[in-house]
Amino acid sequence: DGALIILEGPAGVGKTRLMLDWFDEVRLRGAVAVVARCHEGEASLAFAPIVSLLQQALALPGAAERLKSVPAWLRGAAAHLVPELGDATAGLPPDAADARLRVFEAVWAVLLALTAGAGATLLAIDDLQWADASTLELFAYMARRLHGRAIGLVAAWRDDAVPHDHSLRALLAAQRRSGTVV
């Protein structure tokens, strides 16, 4: 069953090294492990780590074939972030809230399809404390849809850079209540 996996601690404690070593190990066992990173000073770049996750997943062996299983409208909506995914001229609803939901649905469907077939998948975003609001919303959307899937959604952040009222803390509390946090 899917799980949200949190690596939290101060700068320099080894969160990234732990995650990268762990991902190397799970890749050797045949799992898919994809890591994106947020960068300080890039919080104004909407969805930057999500774009990185999508691009890396698209580069996985057999991904192009698996992408064909995703309906064209979902590929088109995700192509607004990564044009290689399909025809971005597929119309999104004119209402901004509906369009945002469609992009979220599309990104999740495309990531699921691109990483399918490996048994287990780990999708990670490192230094999530520097993510933009849109990335945080999409990350929370994905975290709420882990049940019944062989996916670990991994978040690493500097606990000293995430205030108590930050949306990551609210996500963590909600996922703990649902029992999907490791």
Side-chain angles (χ1 to χ4, degrees), residues 35-173:
V35 181
R37 165 175 261 131
C38 298
H39 298 280
E40 188 173 16
E42 290 187 0
S44 63
L45 298 177
F47 299 115
I50 302 299
V51 168
S52 178
L53 283 178
L54 287 166
Q55 289 170 331
Q56 291 177 61
L58 189 56
L60 293 169
E65 190 61 35
R66 289 189 300 275
L67 186 60
K68 293 176 185 175
S69 70
V70 178
W73 73 270
L74 286 169
R75 288 192 319 269
H80 286 273
L81 298 180
V82 177
E84 300 87 353
L85 292 171
D87 179 10
T89 61
L92 287 174
D95 180 270
D98 290 343
R100 188 172 198 77
L101 176 60
R102 290 276 171 88
V103 169
F104 285 14
E105 290 174 339
V107 166
W108 185 233
V110 167
L111 281 171
L112 291 174
L114 292 175
T115 60
T121 298
L122 293 170
L123 300 172
I125 301 181
D126 194 14
D127 286 325
L128 198 55
Q129 76 275 1
W130 291 323
D132 63 284
S134 296
T135 294
L136 293 173
E137 288 175 16
L138 178 49
F139 189 86
Y141 175 91
M142 295 187 307
R144 289 188 294 270
R145 283 152 181 81
L146 294 170
H147 181 70
R149 305 190 184 279
I151 294 183
L153 188 59
V154 182
W157 68 69
R158 294 180 182 178
D159 60 354
D160 55 348
V162 178
H164 292 290
D165 61 346
H166 195 281
S167 63
L168 287 173
R169 302 258 184 230
L171 170 64
L172 182 57

